[in-house]
Structures are given as structure tokens and as C-alpha cells.
Amino acid sequence: MARIEYSIRCIEVSREEPLCNQVRRRWDEIFAPTLENLQPNQIRILPTGIGGAPAINQKIATRRFPDTSKIPSYIDLKEEFGDVPKVLTLIASPVLAEDLISLLAVAREYKNQGVEKIIAQITSLAHERQDHKFFGKDGKKLIKEVVTLDAIMGAFASPYLRKDEDGKNAVIEPTIDAGMAVQNHSKDVVEKALEYGIPMLSIDAFDYLVQEVHIENQKDVFILGPDKGRRKFGKKMAEKFNFPFGCATKKRKRETNGEPEIEISPEDLLSIKNTGAQGARVIIFDDEIREAGTVGAIAKVLKGYASEIIVYATKGIFAGEAIANLNNQLISRIYITDAVWPMQDITDLRDKITWIPLQPGLDSLNSYLQQHLSEPGNDSWLSPEVTGTALHLHED
């Protein structure tokens, strides 16, 4: 029996060059060589049903077994499209580990049918916050937890054994060749993927979210960053609309369950209190609402200072104590996209929540990519000016 060897392509990520540039270069390495013989109808987009979000995914059947496991379905590509596409984008929202296994399985099934390149368009990602090691109160003693994000990206790059027309082993390649991830929790998602040779385009949804609700019309606004890591989102919006800006300081009790401790500077509290007749309308931008511990803690600190709190978040996971934390009277409105299917019943928040569908933006991105899969040297590639959607590549 012939021995087939395979090694995952490992890429050294530079600290001196913007990460987005490195990802773009790797993307072009993968797709530019195929463009000469590639027609737009050979690049297709397909929802998978995995995770149940965004809304387009909810129409795809997923089989649920008595042991709670979920198995996604797949289709005959030739029957669906008339021919097997060479490049296939799979839309998925793998918020749980089982969803990730489903995504890998679906990708392999379509490669079995003859697809050459798989792009995973991910609107949420399981364990993306488990991206680094944590330390105790002394800042030195390591809390022994696994960094799961590394394992996830290694799985995306796991070997798929493609066979030739005679059914013989032909070549080994990654299961997933490239990806697009909406509103990453940190750049580690992109960096870890790139280390395994997978270009993961980071899609920023905040401009899209803000455009849909016309934030520029708000009065007496103070934008507050919920923590240092999310500071850049709020600061960008404050500069764009000429709103005052401040940032909270957050510490998490990693020894327990990560409960947040929030501090807001006296200067920011005074500014919030003196804005408007009843205090400022405080706007918070965050990539996700998971247990809403941070927002809930901020609401407690701002009592007596702000007139209301409005939250903008791309992903509404709503796990744990999210409902209780968000039912604070000071939190008046929550704007989120349908990137994630909520983990629990959020009926009690229905009067506060406004859903913004991602599908129109994703459709515009995908339509553009069918015609412009790779354009090395084009600085406008995948920009709002050419795609027609405010979803855009994240800038480092």
C-alpha cells in the first residue's frame, strides 16, 4: 500500500504587518491561480442549517436525535445547480462544538461530490473566547484551561483525502480552505486560522448595524466602551458622529465564573450626568451579548447618571443570566443582528430588542465574490463602495 504523507501548512504571522494584509495575501495565493478557468456559475453559496442562524439557515432541515445530537443534511450539488461548483461557500453559525463537527462533516461531503475549494462563511464561532490562557489574581499563577480556539482552527485545516476518478487516493488537502467570520471577538480567531494556512476574512458588522437604525439621529448621546478590548468599536462611532466618548475598565474574576467588575472614571460619570436634562443616553457597542454580565454591571454603575442605556451588539447569544442582567430598567433598547440563534427563550426582552437581518448584507458580499473572488492589488476589493453593503473587511 502506497504511503501518503500530509503536513498542515504552518504560516508564521508577522507582528510588523497588518494582519488583514497577511490574510488577503494568503487568500489570493489560494484563489487567484484558479480564476483563469473559473466562471461565476462555478462559484456557489449554500446555507447549511448549522446553528440555525442567520435567518436563511433556519429554512434548512437538521435532524435531531433523542440523545440531543444534531445531524445536518446535505444536497446533491449537480441536481441543485446543474453542475458541481468548483468553489462553494457554506453559511453556518457554529455556536456549539457539535456545530463545528457538523460543518467539517458537511464540507467533506461536498468535497466528495467534487467541490475543489470550500469557504466557510461563519456568523458565530464556538469557543472563540477561549483564545488565550488566563492567570489568577497575582497575574502569574496559570489557570489550567485549554485554549480551544487553536484546536478548532487545527480541525478546519485537518486533512481531507481527495480521490481521483478511479477512486484512488489522489491528494490530501485541508477540509476547509478559507473562511469569512462576522464580528470576531478578537483578532486571535484570524491569527490562529492563518497559522494553519487558512485565510479567515474578518467581517465588521458595526457600520451595517448602525446604518440600519440611523444612530446619527440620536440626541444627548455619550458612547461608552464596555472594556479595553471593545474600546475601538465605540471610539470609531464616536468620531464618525461627533459624540463624546469614554471607556469603562473591566476585570473578570477568572477564579470563579468570570464575573465582571466595572469601573467608570469620575470624569466620564460627570460628563454622562451633565449631558441632557436627565443625563446622557449612553450607547454601548459590543461584539456579542453572551451572559450580559458586563452590560448589567455597567447599568448598576450608571444608575443616577444616565437617562437610559442603548446596546448595539452583532451577536445575541443570551446564555446564563443574560435575561436577568438585561431586564434592568435603565437598559431601554438592544439592537442585534440575527448572526446567532439565542441559547434561551428571550420573550421577556421582546419589547427591548430590535433584530437586524444579516442576509441582505451577506447576499451582497457573496454576489460580489462570485464575480471578484480574488483581485490581487485591488485596494477596493470587498469594500462597501463596490459591494453595496456596509458589511466590510475589518481594519487592524
Side-chain angles (χ1 to χ4, degrees):
M1 180 180 292
R3 180 181 178 184
I4 300 177
E5 296 184 355
Y6 173 78
S7 59
I8 293 175
R9 173 171 179 172
C10 295
I11 293 177
E12 184 176 352
V13 179
S14 171
R15 306 296 178 186
E16 299 177 357
E17 182 184 11
L19 187 57
C20 57
N21 291 355
Q22 299 176 68
V23 171
R24 171 75 188 278
R25 186 162 56 249
R26 176 62 180 145
W27 181 281
D28 291 332
E29 286 177 6
I30 292 174
F31 293 111
T34 69
L35 291 180
E36 186 175 342
N37 300 313
L38 195 63
Q39 301 299 318
N41 65 354
Q42 294 175 315
I43 305 172
R44 297 289 189 174
I45 298 93
L46 201 64
T48 63
I50 294 170
I56 189 174
N57 251 357
Q58 296 170 25
K59 301 176 183 178
I60 312 300
T62 296
R63 188 175 179 186
R64 297 173 184 267
F65 288 84
D67 64 358
T68 73
S69 60
K70 296 175 293 183
I71 304 298
S73 59
Y74 66 98
I75 63 172
D76 185 308
L77 295 173
K78 192 169 185 179
E79 184 178 295
E80 178 76 11
F81 297 121
D83 202 358
V84 176
K86 292 185 177 180
V87 178
L88 184 64
T89 295
L90 299 177
I91 301 175
S93 178
V95 72
L96 301 174
E98 183 180 29
D99 297 328
L100 288 167
I101 298 298
S102 294
L103 178 57
L104 292 169
V106 168
R108 291 188 178 213
E109 290 294 348
Y110 288 134
K111 283 202 167 182
N112 287 340
Q113 293 187 33
V115 174
E116 295 178 7
K117 302 293 183 185
I118 294 285
I119 301 172
Q121 190 169 79
I122 299 168
T123 60
S124 66
L125 181 61
H127 302 300
E128 67 174 312
R129 296 208 303 182
Q130 280 68 49
D131 54 4
H132 61 278
K133 298 182 184 298
F134 296 111
F135 295 86
K137 290 182 178 179
D138 61 0
K140 297 179 181 179
K141 187 177 181 181
L142 184 66
I143 298 174
K144 295 182 179 179
E145 291 182 344
V146 174
V147 179
T148 50
L149 184 62
D150 184 74
I152 289 168
M153 293 310 167
F156 278 16
S158 62
Y160 165 78
L161 182 58
R162 184 180 292 280
K163 298 182 183 297
D164 61 20
E165 294 179 354
D166 297 325
K168 297 180 180 179
N169 297 334
V171 66
I172 300 180
E173 57 192 47
T175 298
I176 292 175
D177 300 276
M180 302 172 68
V182 176
Q183 211 68 60
N184 294 313
H185 185 68
S186 77
K187 68 177 182 179
D188 286 359
V189 173
V190 176
E191 189 170 310
K192 288 290 184 184
L194 189 59
E195 287 177 359
Y196 285 103
I198 299 175
M200 185 72 69
L201 301 178
S202 183
I203 305 300
D204 190 319
F206 275 125
D207 285 314
Y208 181 81
L209 188 60
V210 167
Q211 175 182 280
E212 294 297 316
V213 296
H214 303 290
I215 188 176
E216 68 275 11
N217 297 331
Q218 301 275 9
K219 303 295 183 183
D220 299 328
V221 167
F222 186 98
I223 295 183
L224 182 72
D227 57 42
K228 182 180 179 182
R230 260 30 66 189
R231 177 185 178 90
K232 57 188 175 183
F233 302 139
K235 187 176 182 181
K236 175 185 173 183
M237 293 302 166
E239 292 173 349
K240 182 175 182 178
F241 298 110
N242 196 30
F243 292 143
F245 172 78
C247 189
T249 300
K250 179 173 69 176
K251 295 181 181 179
R252 286 195 180 273
K253 301 176 183 178
R254 294 294 178 189
E255 297 83 357
T256 53
N257 198 35
E259 297 91 345
E261 295 179 340
I262 294 293
E263 292 183 5
I264 300 175
S265 72
E267 293 80 11
D268 285 342
L269 287 174
L270 184 61
S271 180
I272 291 169
K273 189 171 185 176
N274 291 337
T275 299
Q278 303 296 323
R281 176 179 288 119
V282 174
I283 292 180
I284 296 173
F285 289 94
D286 210 341
D287 61 309
E288 66 179 27
I289 298 173
R290 189 170 291 260
E291 297 183 50
T294 300
V295 176
I298 288 175
K300 291 178 181 178
V301 176
L302 289 183
K303 184 178 181 180
Y305 294 93
S307 59
E308 63 178 316
I309 295 174
I310 304 171
V311 182
Y312 292 81
T314 302
K315 304 172 188 179
I317 297 171
F318 299 109
E321 299 298 316
I323 307 302
N325 287 328
L326 293 170
N327 258 332
N328 188 300
Q329 289 185 342
L330 199 57
I331 301 172
S332 61
R333 283 171 283 169
I334 303 166
Y335 294 96
I336 52 177
T337 76
D338 62 351
V340 180
W341 187 256
M343 301 296 290
Q344 55 185 293
D345 184 0
I346 57 172
T347 302
D348 289 347
L349 298 175
R350 64 182 180 275
D351 294 334
K352 293 186 178 186
I353 292 179
T354 298
W355 293 91
I356 307 299
L358 277 176
Q359 187 172 342
L362 294 178
D363 285 347
S364 294
L365 285 181
N366 292 328
S367 177
Y368 178 79
L369 283 171
Q370 284 184 292
Q371 303 288 334
H372 310 272
L373 183 61
S374 174
E375 292 186 348
N378 180 6
D379 293 337
S380 296
W381 182 76
L382 218 60
S383 67
E385 292 75 22
V386 296
T387 62
T389 175
L391 291 177
H392 62 88
L393 290 175
H394 179 76
E395 299 174 1
D396 284 352

